[in-house]
Amino acid sequence: MKTILELGCAEAHRKYDCLEQTKPVWMQTESGDRKRVHLAGLGDVGRNVALGLVLLGEELIEKIGLYDLSPEQCKRMETELSQIAPPPGGRRIPEVSAVSWEEMFDCDVFLFCATKSVPALDSDVKDVRMAQYEANRKIVALYARQAARVGYRGLFVVVSDPVDLLCMEALRSSAEEEQGEGRRLTPDQIRGCGLGVMNARAAYYAKRHPEFSLYLTEGRAFGPHGKDLVIANSTDPAHYDDNASRALTEMTVKANLEVRRLGFKPFLAPAISSAVLTLLAMLKGEWNYSAAYLNGLYFGALNRQTPQGVQWEEVPLPEALFDRLERSYRGLEEILWNGF
């Protein structure tokens, strides 16, 4: 049986694999080693990511810097988040301040939460994340080029949709700015935070439908968090059920549509599950659901950062499950390379 490490892009497109890997200076190395986190984009997701990091980041985050094209929104969030405080003698709260474009990458971790638009609630768009791709890839390219210009060495985290495709755009765009003292981003500097909420949504349905309950103890989520998502009820060949896994995948993919039908945009769970909780686990070197560079493109699966690089959960996968992962991987490859 094969493992996830056997997924791979065409040989012609492996030009980034040979780039020098960077020491993960953004990881927590000892107790009290708190990081500076800057966040760009204070829309629905960005505001809640900032709030979540203020409330949960006491041990890992020293300062949170905020940036938005709207000075009023930025000032509002700086003011409100700075007014969150525990009772006397309570735990510490990370310091919050606004940052300028020039200060954007004076940090250990950068979170890209900016987005141009989200389809309206009454739109008939089937795959919201792909509808955002064309607009958001132009925005992430601006930030990636700026990161390259200043020789940024920290972690570049993509939260905006679609994270896997935008991670690749950031990698490619940064290479266009490598000149003078500038330095392109390397593959290991970039992560996509989007898969965490899909794991959470799969678990939500598994708790409510007995036929999917095995997911709670043995299940895994893989790939992008759109139509090519892969949910497995188990990675154990003796327990993997392809029909149940596909049914749970379908429910998970459509979970956001259920919220939209109620008249709301589904941004709370993604902000916390995909971004906040995933980032905190990442900083500690714990297992998390994120998209990392895998043999030619960014792919989501359970992984963790080590001083030596990304460690993937390397378990033998049932043939039927590996076939699904390969189709998902090839789908991303087709979008990335056939469209340019």
Side-chain angles (χ1 to χ4, degrees), residues 1 25 43 80 114 134 139 158 184 199 238 257 280 302 334:
M1 285 181 284
V25 295
E80 293 221 67
E134 200 57 38
I139 303 173
V158 176
R184 71 172 70 185
N199 168 63
L257 299 179
L280 296 179
L302 202 62
E334 182 177 359

Side-chain angles (χ1 to χ4, degrees), residues 192-207:
C193 287
L195 191 57
V197 73
M198 305 312 277
N199 168 63
R201 287 169 176 167
Y204 171 86
Y205 291 115
K207 291 174 183 176

Side-chain angles (χ1 to χ4, degrees), residues 252-268:
T252 303
V253 168
K254 294 181 176 179
N256 65 324
L257 299 179
E258 293 298 320
V259 177
R260 291 173 70 87
R261 274 194 284 269
L262 294 172
F264 302 96
K265 292 180 181 179
F267 53 79
L268 292 174

